Amino acid sequence: MTPVNLKSLAEELNMSIATVSRALRDSHEVSEATKQRVRALAAARHYEPNAYASSLRRNISKTIGVVIPKVANHFFALAINGIEEAARQAGYHVLIYLTHDDYAREVSIVQHLKGGRVDGLLMSVASGTEDFAHIKSLREANIPIVFFDRVCAEVATAKVTTNDYESGYQATEHLIQAGCQHIAHLLISNNLSIGQFRQQGYLDALAAHGRLADPDLILHGVMDNQQNVGLIRELLLRRPDIDGIFASVERLAISAYHVCNELGRRIPQDIKIIGFSNLEAASLLDPPLSTITQPAYDIGREAAKILLRAVEKKKAVLPSQSVVLESTLFQRRSTAQG
Amino acid sequence: MTPVNLKSLAEELNMSIATVSRALRDSHEVSEATKQRVRALAAARHYEPNAYASSLRRNISKTIGVVIPKVANHFFALAINGIEEAARQAGYHVLIYLTHDDYAREVSIVQHLKGGRVDGLLMSVASGTEDFAHIKSLREANIPIVFFDRVCAEVATAKVTTNDYESGYQATEHLIQAGCQHIAHLLISNNLSIGQFRQQGYLDALAAHGRLADPDLILHGVMDNQQNVGLIRELLLRRPDIDGIFASVERLAISAYHVCNELGRRIPQDIKIIGFSNLEAASLLDPPLSTITQPAYDIGREAAKILLRAVEKKKAVLPSQSVVLESTLFQRRSTAQG
DNA sequence: TTTATTTACGTAAACGTTTGCAGCAAATCG
DNA sequence: CGATTTGCTGCAAACGTTTACGTAAATAAA
């Protein structure tokens, strides 16, 4: 089977490769009649331009990369959904990479992407990441980057986040209003910006109601969920006075549910729980889980749009283009009074 | 900033581009001493090969495409996880495309991929797809394809599926054992192979227990969940004798929960429900949902491995390489006796 | 010593596309 | 009618890499 490319089309049409190329790109320098002929044959032969040749020549890949910790998580899944939508509309392709919250893997991925495989990058940094040299080097390679959700404060670029501080404050206040006296806070990594903001909201809300923050009530979760269950169990046994839990991430809220079931603590009578979550079935849990839900789809879509605008105009993304979207607190039975 | 490529490295080292290229690829035709020098400078200059130039020249992209209906679904999210893992290990990149179960979009995506952007394709077909010409044309372009879960029977290639017939049979029998007399079956599209298998399992299980299948109890869901809720409500109101539901997909099981809540039907006392699902929180639902859970991660990983083997050896994927993995039935309270 | 063989490197041609430049008609203008 | 513009097309050089082939020197075989 002979390959179908510009050359073969040109030969069959008795014209130059240049003319065929221009006709297909709808250049004004080629007559309408010729365009018709070219397009007709291209369609007949099912011509598809070689993306790599084009990318090489134009130094444009029409591809963006997405680097995230994991995909088996409703938040990131929805974000990808938004990203893919924005990319598709702009005619871009989406490469996906998972770090599994592993710093070394993140570095390796970013290094490889400097080869020009992508025109731009969307990223939610791994929780283990503390050094950002690899990301900064991307900027030297002139590859624009936009952070979403888990941003890197040290890098001057656009970031798409949610109002994490306010949400943390709001969630904590919600528990206080519901009558909780001793509120625990479960979070993952505290070098993650979002963790810091949410925690600050938690602390400030406590302070605003005259409560003093107890460091013993702040639990740092780990990667492994099984291990988290153990940590939470230990916490609840050590501090039986805990009557409210604010989980900074979905997994921890779920683990807390399991522990409460196991220990026979009734939700919400004995302990009230609220957590960040994009779980669709939150309202079907036993009891329905009160959540702070981030607009994940919009976050992804917005981040992609900002990136693509920069890519198209070949301009750097500016920190000033950052966007903060609002999360929504859904009050359900897990934080009901009494 | 001058570009760092083979040319610039060669100039600085006073050798030819060819030697630099060979040194970096660890060719045996270059002396160890030279390799050292080249590697040292490449590292110092942070050289990253241009992926597109390499792909163009070698006609190999080191990239596979994944075409799936959606990503905001735990099954597909886990599958992507498995795919990414296998791809990463083999040094491949992963392009992702969502069809949203839209046939036209699927065709458009597949068409574009014929341009050689990917070395191979993993696919779970859209529920609206009935014509497979676009997929067959991929094979003409010599792009191997492996289906997973939602396979296309007409295309002779490897498929990675689960034992859908047995699962459908098992789920139905489970409901019968639990005492259900009138079991409804909720499914999406019946031109999807998996739907057919599961339904056949349902029908055969009924027959094996001397029940006659009632077409009125088979509900075909649609894309929109809100609409599905309406359809299910209508079904349950029209047929108050229904005391068991076998949902072929997670969404429909969730919708059924919502309808039961709304209509005051108690699960499992009035109606027992079992459904295909990869929902992590299934055990936390009210009541905990009995599920048939597919090994989604393994499905993705296995499919990717088969594809990558074929890609590496430049051989076609054969139907004989198909794999059937087993799903697991988790019995929970939604199908408890009494 | 001469003749093979091996080793280590360079030359140059691809891969398929895009695009600056030039050419050459026909059309327009002075 | 000559000069200039305009519209269309072709030529050829890129983009950065890989690799078949050639070649010179060094080594081995004769």
Side-chain angles (χ1 to χ4, degrees), chain A residues 6 18 21 25 47 57:
Chain A
L6 290 185
S21 172
R25 307 196 117 252
Y47 168 72
R57 175 59 224 250

Side-chain angles (χ1 to χ4, degrees), chain A residues 57-300:
Chain A
R57 175 59 224 250
R58 306 207 298 157
N59 199 26
I60 277 174
S61 67
K62 282 275 172 188
T63 304
I64 60 173
V66 178
V67 180
I68 54 175
K70 56 202 314 189
V71 67
N73 167 302
H74 212 65
F75 173 80
F76 287 116
L78 283 171
I80 290 176
N81 202 343
I83 290 167
E84 205 266 353
E85 183 63 25
R88 195 191 56 79
Q89 281 180 5
Y92 276 72
H93 300 253
V94 179
L95 274 172
I96 200 163
Y97 300 91
L98 306 179
T99 64
H100 296 280
D101 275 317
D102 178 0
Y103 171 66
R105 206 177 276 199
E106 183 177 286
V107 172
S108 157
I109 291 166
V110 169
Q111 284 296 342
H112 279 292
L113 289 179
K114 281 172 56 187
R117 197 178 278 269
V118 297
D119 293 338
L121 201 56
L122 291 173
M123 193 161 173
S124 214
V125 303
S127 63
T129 302
E130 296 185 13
D131 181 67
F132 301 105
H134 59 300
I135 297 175
K136 289 173 185 166
S137 81
L138 256 187
R139 308 214 67 198
E140 286 161 22
N142 256 328
I143 297 179
I145 180 170
V146 171
F147 291 104
F148 67 98
D149 198 48
R150 301 196 190 175
V151 307
C152 163
E154 292 182 36
V155 179
T157 185
K159 292 147 191 161
V160 178
T161 51
T162 48
N163 54 343
D164 288 300
Y165 171 81
E166 289 81 0
S167 297
Y169 191 104
Q170 214 182 335
T172 309
E173 192 164 47
H174 177 64
L175 289 172
I176 294 174
Q177 303 285 3
C180 296
Q181 295 298 326
H182 301 98
I183 301 174
H185 179 37
L186 313 183
L187 74 166
I188 297 288
S189 163
N190 59 340
N191 60 3
L192 233 49
S193 56
I194 57 170
Q196 287 171 8
F197 288 135
R198 292 172 187 178
Q199 179 170 356
Q200 198 56 50
Y202 160 78
L203 294 172
D204 287 0
L206 288 181
H209 288 78
R211 316 282 176 91
L212 31 79
D214 183 348
D216 189 41
L217 293 185
I218 297 179
L219 177 71
H220 292 274
V222 294
M223 284 303 112
D224 181 53
N225 282 334
Q226 221 33 49
Q227 227 171 315
N228 285 330
V229 165
L231 290 171
I232 297 171
R233 181 193 301 123
E234 198 181 316
L235 174 67
L236 292 189
L237 290 174
R238 183 174 72 240
R239 293 292 302 260
D241 56 331
I242 290 174
D243 56 0
I245 292 179
F246 164 39
S248 191
V249 298
E250 183 175 292
R251 292 160 42 207
L252 291 172
I254 299 295
S255 294
Y257 260 57
H258 280 123
V259 173
C260 288
N261 277 348
E262 177 192 332
L263 298 181
R265 307 283 174 96
R266 295 167 306 164
I267 311 171
Q269 296 90 334
D270 304 333
I271 295 190
K272 304 190 200 308
I273 299 182
I274 186 167
F276 273 84
S277 169
N278 281 86
L279 196 62
E280 275 180 325
S283 66
L284 295 177
L285 294 190
D286 181 22
L289 173 66
S290 293
T291 60
I292 294 133
T293 299
Q294 297 176 280
Y297 177 87
D298 295 319
I299 291 176

Side-chain angles (χ1 to χ4, degrees), chain B residues 313-333:
Chain B
K313 297 189 178 176
K314 295 188 178 300
K315 293 184 67 173
V317 259
L318 303 173
S320 60
Q321 296 178 271
S322 295
V323 172
V324 177
L325 299 173
E326 298 213 344
S327 296
T328 309
L329 193 154
F330 289 100
Q331 181 171 352
R332 300 202 181 86
R333 196 138 48 78

Side-chain angles (χ1 to χ4, degrees), chain B residues 6 18 21 25 47 50 53 57:
Chain B
L6 289 185
S21 172
R25 307 195 118 251
Y47 169 71
N50 182 300
R57 176 58 224 250

